[in-house]
Amino acid sequence: MLAQAIAAQARPESFADLAEKVSPAVVNITTSTVVARGTGPSPIVPEGSPFEDFFRQFRDPDGEGRPRRSSALGSGFVISEDGYVVTNNHVIEKADEIVVELFSGEELEAEVVGTDPKTDIALLKVETDEPLDYVSFGDSDTARVGDWVIALGNPLGQGFSVSAGIVSARNRALSGTYDDYIQTDAAINRGNSGGPLFNMDGEVIGVNTAILSPSGGSIGIGFSMAANVVTRVVDQLQEYGETRRGWLGVRIQDVTEDVAEAIGMEEVRGALVTDVPEGPAREAGMKAGDVIVSFDGKDVEDTRGLVRQVGNTAVGKTVRVVVFRDGQTKTLKVTLGRREVAEGAVPAAQRGQEEPAEPSQMSLLGLELTPLTDELRAQLELNADAQGLVVKDVESMSQAYEKGMRAGDVITEAGQQKVTRVSELQAQIEEAREAGRKSILLLVRRGGEPRFVALSLTEQ
């Protein structure tokens, strides 16, 4: 009876007071875009098909092929009395005209201050003579699974609507690099995009962004971008009109159990550096094969965590990065660059030593290997200064095959040492055995992309 009484007290009798408090800051967003009409034949879609409405908007009943104006609906919320509005980037993307409808029914034209496609966040600005009702962000990290939440927005163009549910899960990732979604069973439908997810204190802890549904309607699996991600993005958009994320300048992959064993790590954690192109990390002395275990005083659990930590750090800040190298930790001081500037840059090729002659190929660890020659470099479209061992064939029953190695791969390092001859690889294998290792770590490149593969030393 006592447990039932406590549960009854925890369950709110009504969300009415909360909804009344926060609704004036929630807005409907209508966008308008000029779309060119096609002159070709329209697709034939069965009546009642879910694609019928989609194709209807592209039909030209007059057959004149003239441009037309297409409209879309979404939601948003005001975060300051002077008219800053947050919504999803996909709500306003490519729009020629954006109209914000306030709770009172008043309509205002909005200008785009800035957008961030990586988190699907956009910041708008409306001009008004009167101060606007607004809401504040809360600390999304304090939200617990099972907490009550309410979602407000404009579902399916029906106007202001409130739905309630709980936090179903935390720290969900969908497809983005910086994803940190709160999952909720509060009903979210098309048109809710960009609307706020509130906690019981009336604070915004998420921006409703996506749903998981085979039907297109809510089935109780909705995703809201966590407020602690959104606030950093909004602050930068408001100050600069764009995002400015920190950039370390490395390529990384997760540490697996066999990789940890191969390099002598006791714990399976951190981010394994596969390549260090020109940039902040190289200038600080970081090397391929290092495992980043701490960044700016915080432990690194995996690659996703490191990417978010770096991206959330100020450009130009000098941070301490602890790496595991050669059986011990080493602290490097790295001054971060800016990711937006660095993106799209092609890493500079690393110049190796002159290639010594290697008389013949050899089979090791289920791999048929041969040194790189000018002919093989041409066949594999490699740089003239590329060094390493080419995989000519892989035994189908070998561990190397199971781990994805294929003919055409190039092994550039073994045991975190450069290899250009088969004999050098053999030497690294023997050294690993003498050190009591059960596996050896290979740095493998395919199409220029590096990755580490740990192979058991029981195979020959």
Side-chain angles (χ1 to χ4, degrees):
M1 293 292 292
L2 179 61
Q4 291 178 351
I6 293 174
Q9 291 174 1
R11 188 183 306 118
E13 292 183 5
S14 172
F15 296 100
D17 290 341
L18 176 58
E20 185 176 356
K21 172 185 174 183
V22 299
S23 289
V26 182
V27 301
N28 293 340
I29 296 178
T30 305
T31 64
S32 182
T33 308
V34 175
V35 179
R37 289 182 174 179
T39 56
S42 298
I44 300 174
V45 183
E47 187 175 350
S49 166
F51 297 100
E52 187 176 13
D53 290 340
F54 175 79
F55 284 112
R56 183 182 293 120
Q57 63 180 316
F58 293 98
R59 290 183 182 138
D60 183 4
D62 299 327
E64 297 177 0
R66 292 178 297 186
R68 64 175 183 80
R69 189 165 286 277
S70 172
S71 297
L73 300 172
S75 305
F77 53 100
V78 182
I79 61 168
S80 66
E81 65 177 15
D82 59 342
Y84 282 99
V85 176
V86 173
T87 186
N88 279 146
N89 177 59
H90 76 259
V91 170
I92 56 89
E93 192 173 21
K94 298 180 181 179
D96 301 316
E97 191 175 275
I98 304 170
V99 175
V100 169
E101 181 190 356
L102 304 179
F103 188 72
S104 63
E106 181 183 2
E107 294 186 349
L108 302 170
E109 287 193 16
E111 297 292 331
V112 178
V113 176
T115 64
D116 179 34
K118 291 187 181 298
T119 56
D120 199 9
I121 295 298
L123 182 65
L124 311 178
K125 182 69 166 64
V126 296
E127 298 296 337
T128 177
D129 295 332
E130 299 294 329
L132 299 178
D133 291 301
Y134 66 95
V135 287
S136 301
F137 287 103
D139 184 358
S140 56
D141 287 343
T142 63
R144 299 184 304 162
V145 173
D147 280 350
W148 285 104
V149 289
I150 63 170
L152 275 73
N154 179 24
L156 304 174
Q158 296 302 302
F160 289 95
S161 178
V162 180
S163 59
I166 62 169
V167 174
S168 303
R170 291 280 317 280
N171 304 122
R172 292 294 201 203
L174 298 181
S175 59
T177 305
Y178 301 99
D179 284 1
D180 184 9
Y181 285 104
I182 295 172
Q183 181 184 326
T184 179
D185 64 352
I188 296 174
N189 287 285
R190 286 177 297 173
N192 272 117
S193 290
L197 186 74
F198 289 102
N199 61 18
M200 292 298 98
D201 293 325
E203 298 170 327
V204 179
I205 59 168
V207 178
N208 302 323
T209 302
I211 61 173
L212 182 62
S213 171
S215 63
S218 174
I219 60 170
I221 305 178
F223 300 95
S224 300
M225 183 61 74
N228 285 3
V229 174
V230 178
T231 51
R232 283 188 287 266
V233 171
V234 168
D235 287 346
Q236 291 185 353
L237 295 180
Q238 196 165 354
E239 184 174 357
Y240 307 113
E242 59 186 359
T243 56
R244 297 187 178 184
R245 293 188 171 95
W247 178 60
L248 186 59
V250 292
R251 293 183 181 179
I252 52 177
Q253 69 181 58
D254 284 332
V255 176
T256 59
E257 289 187 9
D258 48 4
V259 167
E261 198 283 330
I263 61 178
M265 283 188 69
E266 295 182 359
E267 291 183 86
V268 181
R269 69 182 185 90
L272 178 60
V273 178
T274 63
D275 193 21
V276 190
E278 290 289 347
R282 179 186 283 192
E283 292 173 5
M286 196 170 295
K287 300 178 180 179
D290 286 349
V291 177
I292 300 173
V293 295
S294 174
F295 177 86
D296 200 18
K298 296 180 180 179
D299 290 343
V300 174
E301 295 300 323
D302 51 26
T303 55
R304 180 177 170 231
L306 177 61
V307 169
R308 287 178 53 197
Q309 284 175 255
V310 174
N312 291 336
T313 306
V315 176
K317 181 179 180 180
T318 299
V319 298
R320 293 180 180 271
V321 181
V322 180
V323 301
F324 181 87
R325 179 192 297 173
D326 298 330
Q328 57 188 359
T329 58
K330 181 179 179 64
T331 300
L332 306 174
K333 290 185 178 180
V334 185
T335 301
L336 299 183
R338 184 182 171 196
R339 173 171 290 276
E340 290 81 0
V341 174
E343 279 181 340
V346 179
Q350 298 180 13
R351 184 169 300 277
Q353 300 174 349
E354 289 300 315
E355 178 189 337
E358 186 76 9
S360 61
Q361 60 192 38
M362 183 179 292
S363 293
L364 284 171
L365 306 175
L367 303 168
E368 188 175 324
L369 303 168
T370 188
L372 267 173
T373 63
D374 289 338
E375 182 180 357
L376 287 172
R377 290 187 186 93
Q379 290 178 8
L380 298 173
E381 299 181 349
L382 300 175
N383 293 332
D385 54 3
Q387 300 290 322
L389 299 174
V390 177
V391 177
K392 297 194 69 176
D393 196 13
V394 186
E395 294 178 15
S396 60
M397 299 299 291
S398 68
Q399 187 187 60
Y401 190 90
E402 292 177 2
K403 293 198 172 184
M405 294 193 67
R406 296 294 185 268
D409 287 350
V410 179
I411 300 172
T412 60
E413 291 184 13
Q416 298 178 296
Q417 299 295 322
K418 292 186 183 300
V419 290
T420 58
R421 308 182 187 184
V422 176
S423 58
E424 292 174 344
L425 175 58
Q426 286 179 301
Q428 289 302 315
I429 291 174
E430 290 307 315
E431 185 176 322
R433 284 202 177 99
E434 290 174 4
R437 303 271 188 252
K438 296 179 182 178
S439 55
I440 188 167
L441 196 66
L442 305 179
L443 179 57
V444 181
R445 292 180 182 270
R446 180 184 300 169
E449 293 295 323
R451 71 184 182 103
F452 280 100
V453 178
L455 296 183
S456 171
L457 293 177
T458 59
E459 294 200 28
Q460 292 294 325

